[in-house]
Amino acid sequence: MAITKKRVLVTGGAGFLGSHLCERLLADGYTVLCVDNYFTGSKDNIGHLLGDPNFEAMRHDITFPLYVEVDEIFNLACPASPIHYQFDPVQTTKTSVVGAINMLGLAKRTRAKVFQASTSEVYGDPTISPQPETYRGNVNPLGPRACYDEGKRCAETLFFDYHRQHKTRVKVVRIFNTYGPRMHPQDGRVVSNFIIQALTGQDITLYGDGLQTRAFCYVDDLIEGFVRMMATGEDVTGPINLGNPHEITVRELAERVIAMTGASSRIVHQPLPQDDPLQRCPDITLARATLGWQPQVALEAGLGRTIAYFERLLALQKTARVPAEAG
Ligand code: NAD
Ligand code: UDP
């Protein structure tokens, strides 16, 4: 008798994290349906998977209902960088809230397990550090980040209401700043910005005094956390923080990138965006205890791989431009 592979839906599968997750699930023997509207994601991110008979890509916006048959759902669809989620804030909130309702409805009908990519932004500009899952946050509901922060908070509410009301099997993780190959080169996130600026000899744009902190997790570590979370028993719903607890200032990150790339770039200061959190660092006690998980890739190693990725990308873009310029 043929053994049927588990069918997994990944929304936002053509994005940075989604494409790594699709790759990992295929390697683990699943059949993967990637759904994306390509707002911030790209077909290039999943091009290498298209020939795999266990992989299928579908253009779809999750603010509209989706009727498919699946065993597990990873709901990642949502722009994640401030410039992209603030570009069309109403659509961002719709993606988080209406998208969550649609994915939870799908999970209810198919009895699938459903995973939500929530965020450290639910803590807003935190007044305690590191942030444990019990911290209720300090979010400005009216500011420019609110479409994302409040959208994700409401999505969490929906996940736990579906769990209580309909016994839906939910898995909620709160992701802290993650970086690695396939980050969108123009999405303004700090790691990609600094690396591209350094590699192209531009000034490094440090917002504010650069003393705000973040803790950066390498993508492979995060995906391992996703897979472990989805594999937990029914009693584990989350929310669980996933991130690297090694906290540094944004200025230190700039200096590290300059040193690693050997760039001659200068650091220039630009205004700190409104509501930019002053500190962020995950308390991962719960992830360690529940998932036996903790990050393995040190910042130096992860930055090295990410710099190598952007070097290749910039070289490809340069070669692609040559014929046009020559012509
Ligand atoms: P990303 O922008 O690269 O990926 C998001 C993907 O969702 C893109 O492919 C985009 O085209 C797609 N998408 C957006 N709106 C959609 C819609 N309405 N319907 C279908 N597809 C849609 O971002 P990412 O960094 O890969 O983030 C993935 C998820 O993880 C997001 O939900 C984000 O909130 C969460 N997250 C990421 C980080 C991080 O550091 N990368 C941190 C916290 C949370
Ligand atoms: N930042 C910066 N220069 C940049 C991009 C970002 O100094 O070119 C800062 C930003 O103000 C924030 C931190 O880096 O304090 C992380 O920004 P990012 O947009 O990557 O993610 P956030 O954690 O704010 O969602």
Side-chain angles (χ1 to χ4, degrees):
M1 192 181 74
I3 299 171
T4 322
K5 289 177 178 242
K6 261 196 191 163
R7 294 154 306 178
V8 184
L9 167 64
V10 179
T11 77
F16 162 47
L17 299 179
S19 62
H20 285 275
L21 178 63
C22 289
E23 211 171 77
R24 168 67 188 265
L25 293 170
L26 288 169
D28 287 354
Y30 293 96
T31 292
V32 176
L33 172 61
C34 161
V35 158
D36 205 294
N37 69 351
Y38 303 110
F39 173 48
T40 51
S42 136
K43 288 183 185 166
D44 289 342
N45 286 341
I46 50 168
H48 61 299
L49 306 177
L50 291 173
D52 188 323
N54 292 314
F55 182 76
E56 189 183 341
M58 180 196 282
R59 179 188 289 270
H60 175 79
D61 183 323
I62 63 156
T63 61
F64 296 96
L66 177 67
Y67 293 92
V68 290
E69 303 307 318
V70 287
D71 303 300
E72 293 180 359
I73 303 165
F74 282 90
N75 186 35
L76 271 62
C78 187
S81 79
I83 59 168
H84 279 142
Y85 68 66
Q86 290 170 23
F87 173 76
D88 184 349
V90 175
Q91 172 68 8
T92 299
T93 304
K94 272 166 85 176
T95 294
S96 284
V97 177
V98 181
I101 292 172
N102 287 331
M103 290 308 114
L104 285 159
L106 177 63
K108 186 179 155 206
R109 181 179 64 77
T110 57
R111 298 182 191 283
K113 266 195 269 189
V114 58
F115 171 106
Q116 169 67 355
S118 190
T119 168
S120 54
E121 284 282 322
V122 300
Y123 302 124
D125 189 2
T127 52
I128 59 165
S129 194
Q131 296 85 53
E133 290 82 353
T134 47
Y135 178 55
R136 292 188 184 175
N138 178 32
V139 172
N140 173 3
L142 307 177
R145 296 175 88 103
C147 58
Y148 183 72
D149 301 8
E150 297 290 13
K152 290 283 189 178
R153 285 172 70 96
C154 184
E156 286 199 9
T157 305
L158 285 161
F159 268 70
F160 286 92
D161 280 338
Y162 266 75
H163 177 64
R164 280 185 290 261
Q165 201 174 330
H166 301 298
K167 308 278 174 280
T168 308
R169 293 179 295 159
V170 301
K171 308 280 175 193
V172 178
V173 299
R174 292 179 177 159
I175 305 164
F176 285 64
N177 296 65
T178 300
Y179 70 99
R182 297 198 208 118
M183 290 185 88
H184 192 301
Q186 266 95 44
D187 77 2
R189 280 189 264 192
V190 69
V191 174
S192 44
N193 260 17
F194 286 179
I195 293 178
I196 289 172
Q197 288 164 346
L199 292 177
T200 54
Q202 299 174 67
D203 292 341
I204 304 276
T205 52
L206 195 58
Y207 300 161
D209 56 13
L211 296 180
Q212 68 272 34
T213 67
R214 294 294 186 271
F216 297 99
C217 184
Y218 188 67
V219 60
D220 290 358
D221 281 333
L222 187 80
I223 300 299
E224 178 64 31
F226 282 13
V227 168
R228 289 188 188 208
M229 180 64 173
M230 193 56 125
T232 51
E234 278 197 32
D235 54 319
V236 179
T237 56
I240 293 187
N241 288 340
L242 290 181
N244 191 319
H246 175 68
E247 184 180 14
I248 63 166
T249 65
V250 174
R251 168 174 280 282
E252 281 175 77
L253 178 74
E255 288 163 354
R256 189 81 67 99
V257 169
I258 291 173
M260 287 182 71
T261 51
S264 51
S265 302
R266 291 176 314 141
I267 293 181
V268 296
H269 290 270
Q270 290 190 0
L272 190 68
Q274 189 191 331
D275 293 336
D276 196 287
L278 275 180
Q279 54 182 355
R280 184 184 293 146
C281 180
D283 179 334
I284 59 162
T285 311
L286 192 59
R288 281 198 174 100
T290 314
L291 310 176
W293 176 89
Q294 62 179 13
Q296 304 295 324
V297 182
L299 184 61
E300 198 82 3
L303 280 180
R305 292 180 213 171
T306 312
I307 291 168
Y309 167 78
F310 281 114
E311 274 172 342
R312 284 197 303 276
L313 192 75
L314 291 170
L316 275 174
Q317 286 174 352
K318 215 169 167 182
T319 352
R321 270 201 307 272
V322 172
E325 281 166 3

